[in-house]
Amino acid sequence: MIKKDVIIVGGGAAGFFAAINIAEQNPHLKVAILERGSEGLQKVKVSGGGRCNVTHAEFIPQELIKNYPRGENELLGPFHQFMTGDTMEWFEKRGVELKIEEDGRMFPVSNSSQTIIDCFLSEAVKHHVEVLYNQSVTAISSQSSHTELVEVQSKGFVISTKDHAYSCQKLIIATGSNPKIWNLLENLGHTISQPVPSLFTFDVKDERIKDIPGVVALHVEVKVLGTNLWSEGPLLVTHVGFSAPAILKLSAFGAVELAKRNYKFQIEINFIRQTFEDCLDVLKTLKHDLAKKSVFKSTQFDLPKRLWQKLVLASNMNPETRWADLNKNQLENLAAQLTKAVFNVDGKNTFKEEFVTAGGVDLKEINFKTFESKLHKNLYFAGEVINVDAITGGFNFQNAWTGAYIVAKSISE
Ligand SMILES: Cc1cc2nc3c(=O)[nH]c(=O)nc-3n(C[C@H](O)[C@H](O)[C@H](O)COP(=O)(O)OP(=O)(O)OC[C@H]3O[C@@H](n4cnc5c(N)ncnc54)[C@H](O)[C@@H]3O)c2cc1C
């Protein structure tokens, strides 16, 4: 039996951040990471298209939490303890300069996720964190003397991998979205919210977006019909449907609802963020002002030309139709295409830059002052293993840094 004071299962973002902070804040503790892979931090490596979107330039906790479809209420307190500004300071103190991009996303100035990995690896060495690779954890048992079903007096944990058994007083689970570990946690009495994908794009086959991939409408509103799901932001036409923030936000906030519908539903897009009636008034004025011009060729509402042309053709017109010739029906059709165009979604696709899993350890079973289990004393969680996830933009890593920091503070004290 190999004895440690603190064992962290999972050498990813949250695992390394927790380990380094514990070892730095309390050098007397023997801290080890058990990582199943032959290398750790693999998601950090591919994150943000290889640049690692470390966090987001949102410095107000009440605003930051709005980016978490799951975890919004629970993270408010933790963000008051360790915020995005603290993340910046943490990295900058250790020689990693960060920059803020126009949309608020923050990256290392080097534009390389390797900078973050190098920082973690050298900090781990500096603070004597032992990182044990090829150690896939297969069993966890709590050496607790059960009093009642919950709230137990801990005598520590025994953790098994294929080749070794480890014991520790404090155990941190930082295994991301790993079903095997969720099963082990269920055996320890924890409830796991059903994992479903989050952050995906929508598959749509429709004449109105055929052959125009790459077209972006800068600010649209999208509703999922038959639900309360709604979002706004840029919309990108892809080879297979729609992507960009307006869609990704819906996929995150609707992760559970859309999974129930097996990713088959209808969306309504308002391409110009005006009401049908206001749009119709504008079109009537244009009918008068541009009378002799072709509707097809006179793009309006700052829409991309190719999208405008597709919507005009979908409104029962041909490329020669002039504004003056538009009848009431055609005007109404065009206003409807611009303000309430319905598309059938028939499946989902991976968003390559970032994808996460919704689901994980039930939030009611975690004390968010310390990220300790409410069922097992001295058992802690950090990162994506818990039922917290965010939209794209650096928020998922911020959850990992905040949880890991708070666990570290609680343990090292
Ligand atoms: C392609 C991609 C790009 C992304 N880009 C961004 C981004 O730019 N910004 C952002 O905020 N978020 C991004 N994310 C999300 C972000 O990567 C995760 O939210 C984050 O990595 C979660 O950290 P974690 O430490 O909880 O889990 P992980 O980083 O997944 O780490 C878990 C670790 O545990 C190990 N492990 C699992 N099971 C066991 C076991 N049984 N025994 C031992 N070890 C085990 C794994 O091997 C892994 O190393 C991206 C995700 C993907 C997939």
Side-chain angles (χ1 to χ4, degrees):
M1 181 86 67
I2 305 165
K3 274 192 176 178
K4 304 285 168 196
D5 296 316
V6 184
I7 282 183
I8 296 127
V9 184
F16 265 87
F17 205 72
I20 293 164
N21 281 296
I22 295 167
E24 184 179 44
Q25 289 170 31
N26 190 339
H28 303 298
L29 293 174
K30 271 199 222 153
V31 181
I33 296 176
L34 303 182
E35 163 57 42
R36 73 174 164 180
S38 54
E39 283 177 73
L41 299 163
Q42 288 305 294
K43 266 205 197 173
V44 171
K45 192 164 192 169
V46 297
S47 66
R51 295 200 298 144
C52 189
N53 178 191
V54 181
T55 185
H56 200 94
E58 171 55 74
F59 301 108
I60 304 165
Q62 280 82 354
E63 290 302 314
L64 185 63
I65 56 171
K66 291 182 187 160
N67 298 290
Y68 295 83
R70 283 146 293 274
E72 176 171 351
N73 295 331
E74 292 79 3
L75 287 179
L76 183 62
F79 284 149
H80 277 286
Q81 284 200 57
F82 193 85
M83 228 345 231
T84 48
D86 299 310
T87 303
M88 288 175 74
E89 199 184 316
W90 194 95
F91 281 107
E92 277 165 12
K93 256 192 188 163
R94 289 158 183 83
V96 178
E97 261 187 274
L98 301 179
K99 59 169 174 178
I100 303 175
E101 301 210 330
E102 247 174 48
D103 57 5
R105 293 184 303 160
M106 293 174 67
F107 294 89
V109 168
S110 65
N111 271 331
S112 168
S113 56
Q114 193 60 42
T115 309
I116 303 296
I117 296 176
D118 291 345
C119 167
F120 282 162
L121 295 179
S122 70
E123 287 292 311
V125 171
K126 183 172 159 193
H127 299 292
H128 311 291
V129 172
E130 244 185 296
V131 190
L132 303 162
Y133 295 104
N134 302 310
Q135 296 300 308
S136 181
V137 169
T138 50
I140 299 171
S141 61
S142 158
Q143 307 295 91
S144 317
S145 55
H146 288 253
T147 46
E148 274 296 310
L149 262 180
V150 288
E151 205 38 67
V152 291
Q153 186 60 43
S154 175
K155 288 181 182 159
F157 299 88
V158 172
I159 301 108
S160 312
T161 64
K162 197 166 118 268
D163 311 314
H164 300 290
Y166 299 86
S167 73
C168 65
Q169 278 304 311
K170 309 263 183 189
L171 176 63
I172 305 167
I173 307 294
T175 40
S177 301
N178 187 281
K180 282 191 193 142
I181 293 287
W182 281 328
N183 286 344
L184 298 184
L185 292 172
E186 271 181 328
N187 294 341
L188 287 177
H190 271 289
T191 314
I192 305 299
S193 305
Q194 193 56 30
V196 288
S198 181
L199 289 181
F200 48 84
T201 63
F202 293 177
D203 287 352
V204 175
K205 273 203 189 77
D206 193 292
E207 195 51 45
R208 289 166 292 178
I209 54 167
K210 197 175 165 204
D211 302 327
I212 58 165
V215 161
V216 177
L218 278 180
H219 203 155
V220 306
E221 286 170 6
V222 190
K223 279 185 210 163
V224 177
L225 295 180
T227 71
N228 294 328
L229 294 166
W230 176 93
S231 80
E232 63 179 329
L235 176 82
L236 168 72
V237 178
T238 69
H239 285 98
V240 287
F242 290 122
S243 182
I247 298 299
L248 296 168
K249 276 190 256 176
L250 277 182
S251 77
F253 282 91
V256 176
E257 178 79 42
L258 301 181
K260 275 190 209 149
R261 290 167 190 245
N262 202 19
Y263 309 103
K264 292 189 194 334
F265 49 91
Q266 288 190 311
I267 52 172
E268 185 185 284
I269 303 182
N270 186 333
F271 287 104
I272 59 172
R273 295 189 308 133
Q274 288 190 16
T275 63
F276 172 82
E277 290 73 20
D278 287 350
C279 175
L280 196 56
D281 286 344
V282 175
L283 295 179
K284 283 178 184 162
T285 312
L286 290 169
K287 175 178 160 76
H288 179 263
D289 293 350
L290 303 176
K292 293 204 173 125
K293 297 217 159 120
S294 136
V295 181
F296 186 79
K297 287 188 184 146
S298 38
T299 308
Q300 299 297 322
F301 303 104
D302 289 329
L303 281 178
K305 186 170 88 187
R306 291 192 291 164
L307 179 61
W308 167 263
Q309 293 178 341
K310 286 280 192 183
L311 297 179
V312 167
L313 296 181
S315 309
N316 208 11
M317 295 176 215
N318 62 51
E320 280 74 47
T321 311
R322 296 179 317 157
W323 283 95
D325 302 332
L326 292 185
N327 60 34
K328 182 167 174 275
N329 215 347
Q330 286 169 315
L331 280 170
E332 286 180 357
N333 278 346
L334 183 54
Q337 287 298 339
L338 290 164
T339 61
K340 46 184 182 184
V342 174
F343 292 86
N344 290 319
V345 177
D346 184 23
K348 65 170 172 52
N349 235 291
T350 320
F351 171 60
K352 299 243 165 37
E353 246 190 35
E354 179 174 345
F355 50 89
V356 295
T357 305
V361 179
D362 193 319
L363 303 185
K364 287 198 283 301
E365 297 172 354
I366 300 166
N367 171 1
F368 280 90
K369 290 200 170 85
T370 53
F371 283 72
E372 188 176 12
S373 159
K374 285 184 184 169
L375 311 194
H376 293 271
K377 224 172 151 23
N378 297 329
L379 172 65
Y380 298 80
F381 304 105
E384 219 177 284
V385 66
I386 67 173
N387 188 20
V388 166
D389 62 272
I391 62 169
T392 177
F395 306 106
N396 281 303
F397 277 140
Q398 187 56 49
N399 166 53
W401 314 139
T402 294
Y405 186 86
I406 292 172
V407 168
K409 192 164 157 245
S410 161
I411 288 179
S412 54
E413 274 169 3

